[in-house]
Amino acid sequence: MAYFDRLNTQPTAPRQAIYDTLLRGLVSAGIFAKLDALYILRTARAQWAYENLVQPAYRLTPNGGYTFTADEGWAGNGTTGYLITDLRPSFTNGRFTLNDANFFVYSRTNATTTGVVMGSRSLSTVGQTFLTPRNAGNLATFRINQDANGVSAASASSDGLLMLRRSGSTAYAFVRNGVVVGSDTTVSTSLSTSALTIGALYTNGVAASFNSYQFAAAGIGASLTDAEALALKTLLDAFFAALTAEAGAGGSDPVVTPSYTTYVYGDSLTSSALITQLTTQLSRPVTSRGIGSQRSSQIAMRQGGVVPTVTISGDQIVAGANSITHFNGTAIVDTATNPNAPQLLSTPGDNSSRSISASIAGVLGSIARTASGGPPSTTETYTFTPTADPGTVACPAGTDVIVQTKIDAASTQVIWSGRNNKGINNWSVVSDVQGMVDLLSTVDKHYVVMSILNGDYADERAGQSEYINLMASNAELEAAFPGSYLDVRRYLIDDGLTDAAITPTAQDLIDIADDTVPASLRADNIHLTTVGYELVADHVAAFMLAKGW
């Protein structure tokens, strides 16, 4: 199954058979042919949940606060959390069309809400498509591909298979478990230009009306009949029952404890000095996965927690080097022109040639970056070379890249990411780091999330604008990963000189007053001295060993 080729960690053979049974049932019932997307959110791995079973496109991207519970489901926090599909109805040449459309979620929560289970609209009254299944008055509000507001209907339950469909220009309905809850004849007028979003209403790049239900599955496509909706629920119920039995037999997660080999993901702060000291302190292999000057999104893409997309010249993969023209919808560009280009292996810090093993459109191979001029580079190219001759494989624009990091995902990881996010989304890195944590494939996840260091720059000193933003980002990380967050910034400022037996200089005292790592521990405005890296390594090692890692 092509879906499995996109997973960093493979399900057990029994679990793969359960997926296969579901898909065969959907095909036999005529449902699969009507779908643009199907997401199984009640599964063992977050990455498995985010992949689309129908095709490589429209992978889910989590945002804000949420909880993924293995073999239970995904739930937003009701205030910031949602899953964006990247399926924008007005731009998608798919099965979801103006007068033949459907989306559904399988809710595991029966409660009133003002939030939307899935929704999208171009503007507040343009291209409205959303479902609120049960508000405080036990009413459902639903609209699909319309500008007018439509109607509400009595609704006493919000769990089960909740489906909103449009079967004609003046026919649409809210269906629960194959039974129509309410219908209306408001005319269809336009498709939304915004991406359909699970757990919120997405309007022109802004999410609102958040929902906190736990979802087991979701899907998008053409209209389904009542009989097809009931058949879909029956197939999903059988699928979940089989998964529960398989998980109870110990099949969902064969690896419980990660390897003690440690991988350090980050930027130039994850230098050789840090790796050498950490190897000594832990008495185990430690490998750097750092690339200088990379942002948190690039680091997460290399680790596999964030899935990039590519466009390959000719929209096909053949033997030999295939030219990559776009990453994440943006044309390949040199880093002198755009140092923030969303390119997997790029950095304005060097012109080094790099490669990474990856699978694209089910083809295993290697992505290579070549750069010259600068740095930052003035010329930059990317290619994808299959490991073996694949023949000719279709590769539509925006196909997912699945980096091959399965060994890393089953190991202990140290994440020091975000230093190069200055000026980007107020330094926020929590969603990228969350993706990295979600990718870890063992039951017991062993990982350390380190705080971002502020540097000796005027706007990063205590009380200044970038200092305030950076401190807020660190607070987000601490709140999101309370058992794995390690505040190395605070340690270096408060205790670093004492532990290194260094008498503070006048400049050190000024730096400490500015809440900045003291100069005696820095090699420049931000990077550390050898002694500084020794202190960090000691602090990280003590943290890990205290946890029995």
Side-chain angles (χ1 to χ4, degrees):
M1 187 189 299
Y3 166 76
F4 296 133
D5 293 336
R6 291 182 265 127
L7 305 182
N8 276 304
T9 302
Q10 291 296 298
T12 61
R15 182 165 288 227
Q16 290 191 30
I18 295 168
Y19 273 86
D20 185 67
T21 299
L22 170 65
L23 293 182
R24 288 178 185 274
L26 293 172
V27 171
S28 177
I31 297 170
F32 191 83
K34 294 186 174 184
L35 297 179
D36 291 310
L38 173 62
Y39 309 102
I40 299 298
L41 304 175
R42 184 180 173 185
T43 190
R45 297 274 185 276
Q47 193 231 343
W48 301 357
Y50 300 152
E51 293 293 339
N52 179 1
L53 270 75
V54 177
Q55 57 181 314
Y58 313 129
R59 182 184 189 274
L60 295 177
T61 301
N63 291 268
Y66 63 91
T67 301
F68 172 79
T69 305
D71 288 323
E72 294 293 335
W74 185 97
N77 62 1
T79 55
T80 62
Y82 61 95
L83 290 164
I84 192 164
T85 69
D86 202 34
L87 192 157
R88 296 178 294 168
S90 67
F91 296 105
T92 301
N93 185 23
R95 290 152 181 147
F96 186 104
T97 60
L98 183 65
N99 295 315
D100 186 9
N102 150 74
F103 72 70
F104 61 85
V105 296
Y106 199 120
S107 167
R108 304 193 72 199
T109 304
N110 187 17
T112 60
T113 182
T114 58
V116 168
V117 295
M118 189 185 295
S120 166
R121 60 187 180 184
S122 305
L123 297 170
S124 60
T125 58
V126 179
Q128 298 184 84
T129 295
F130 66 85
L131 170 62
T132 299
R134 181 188 172 204
N135 65 20
N138 286 325
L139 293 174
T141 304
F142 51 98
R143 299 160 195 169
I144 183 166
N145 301 342
Q146 62 198 69
D147 296 347
N149 285 341
V151 300
S152 298
S155 177
S157 301
S158 63
D159 56 350
L161 186 67
L162 311 178
M163 179 178 296
L164 182 59
R165 72 169 181 231
R166 180 172 283 276
S167 54
S169 62
T170 57
Y172 71 101
F174 166 35
V175 181
R176 177 178 177 269
N177 295 337
V179 177
V180 174
V181 176
S183 61
D184 190 37
T185 59
T186 301
V187 67
S188 61
T189 47
S190 65
L191 291 164
S192 173
T193 59
S194 301
L196 282 166
T197 297
I198 300 167
L201 176 58
Y202 203 64
T203 308
N204 197 23
V206 178
S209 300
F210 298 98
N211 184 287
S212 61
Y213 290 177
Q214 185 180 69
F215 299 118
I220 302 164
S223 176
L224 299 182
T225 66
D226 293 348
E228 287 170 335
L230 183 58
L232 174 59
K233 181 180 186 298
T234 300
L235 288 165
L236 287 172
D237 284 344
F239 174 82
F240 294 132
L243 285 190
T244 299
E246 196 260 353
S252 64
D253 276 302
V255 179
V256 175
T257 304
S259 160
Y260 282 94
T261 298
T262 299
Y263 293 91
V264 182
Y265 275 89
D267 46 42
S268 58
L269 287 172
T270 60
S271 72
S272 58
L274 173 63
I275 302 304
T276 298
Q277 291 299 322
L278 199 53
T279 300
T280 300
Q281 293 297 326
L282 292 173
S283 300
R284 72 181 70 155
V286 178
T287 300
S288 174
R289 297 292 196 223
I291 295 180
S293 300
Q294 281 206 322
R295 302 180 313 284
S296 64
S297 60
Q298 293 173 290
I299 296 165
M301 285 190 290
R302 287 191 290 106
Q303 187 257 10
V306 170
V307 176
T309 65
V310 293
T311 299
I312 291 180
S313 180
D315 291 337
Q316 62 183 20
I317 298 172
V318 296
N322 297 264
S323 176
I324 297 175
T325 62
H326 294 70
F327 265 106
N328 301 311
T330 301
I332 300 295
V333 66
D334 59 83
T335 53
T337 301
N338 182 7
N340 295 322
Q343 294 162 190
L344 182 65
L345 301 174
S346 295
T347 170
D350 65 44
N351 291 330
S352 298
S353 295
R354 293 187 177 87
S355 63
I356 191 168
S357 180
S359 174
I360 303 177
V363 178
L364 184 64
S366 179
I367 294 175
R369 175 240 192 182
T370 304
S372 61
S377 66
T378 55
T379 301
E380 191 144 342
T381 59
Y382 275 85
T383 58
F384 175 68
T385 303
T387 302
D389 186 349
T392 300
V393 177
C395 183
T399 294
D400 287 349
V401 174
I402 307 301
V403 297
Q404 301 300 290
T405 54
K406 295 176 184 177
I407 294 175
D408 292 26
S411 303
T412 302
Q413 292 194 5
V414 176
I415 301 169
W416 202 0
S417 175
R419 174 55 231 178
N420 297 299
N421 281 39
K422 185 175 183 177
I424 301 173
N425 196 25
N426 292 331
W427 293 85
S428 183
V429 302
V430 70
S431 63
D432 293 326
V433 175
Q434 183 67 65
M436 298 173 76
V437 171
D438 287 344
L439 185 78
L440 299 179
S441 61
T442 54
V443 176
D444 297 330
K445 298 176 186 288
H446 293 182
Y447 65 96
V448 182
V449 176
M450 294 164 65
S451 57
I452 307 168
L453 300 185
N454 57 316
D456 183 25
Y457 303 102
D459 58 356
E460 294 182 28
R461 295 170 187 147
Q464 302 305 307
S465 58
E466 292 299 337
Y467 172 90
I468 293 170
N469 290 335
L470 189 148
M471 292 304 108
S473 184
N474 278 337
E476 283 184 338
L477 289 173
E478 183 174 17
F481 312 104
S484 292
Y485 178 76
L486 183 61
D487 195 349
V488 292
R489 191 196 75 89
R490 185 79 273 144
Y491 164 70
L492 289 171
I493 295 170
D494 291 350
D495 301 310
L497 294 177
T498 299
D499 287 356
I502 295 174
T503 300
T505 65
Q507 184 59 51
D508 289 333
L509 296 175
I510 292 172
D511 292 338
I512 292 170
D514 285 333
D515 205 28
T516 303
V517 175
S520 292
L521 299 178
R522 286 187 283 107
D524 53 29
N525 292 71
I526 185 63
H527 297 93
L528 304 177
T529 62
T530 299
V531 171
Y533 282 118
E534 288 176 358
L535 292 170
V536 171
D538 289 348
H539 202 47
V540 173
F543 181 82
M544 291 172 61
L545 294 173
K547 291 179 172 291
W549 299 352

